[in-house]
Amino acid sequence: MATSPSASTSFTCPAPADATGVGQTLSKNRLFYEQIRGAGGVQYPVSALPMAPEDWERHFGAAWPKLRDAKRRYDPTNLLTPGYNLF
């Protein structure tokens, strides 16, 4: 059974404008993402938090090698998906 975030965790809407507030929101997003992953879930994380290539590999699971190989074959100059830090 999945556990929910603690009652002290909250979202800020609209997003904070200062760097400290943005950092805190991104940290909360990471916490939620890891809790979801730990419970066996997945999330479409684009723009919710910074993703490292290792996060993407976990996200795509067994499909990752095929996706990575196709990317290398069809996009050798890394023109596609430049901002998502996929590869």
Side-chain angles (χ1 to χ4, degrees), residues 7 9 34 59 75 86:
T9 305
E34 295 301 333
H59 180 79
D75 187 25
L86 231 67

Side-chain angles (χ1 to χ4, degrees), residues 10 14 18 24 28 56 58-60 67 78-79 84:
S10 64
D18 61 274
Q24 290 171 343
K28 289 177 186 177
W56 288 110
R58 279 185 11 202
H59 180 79
F60 286 105
L67 178 61
N78 292 314
L79 179 66
Y84 293 108

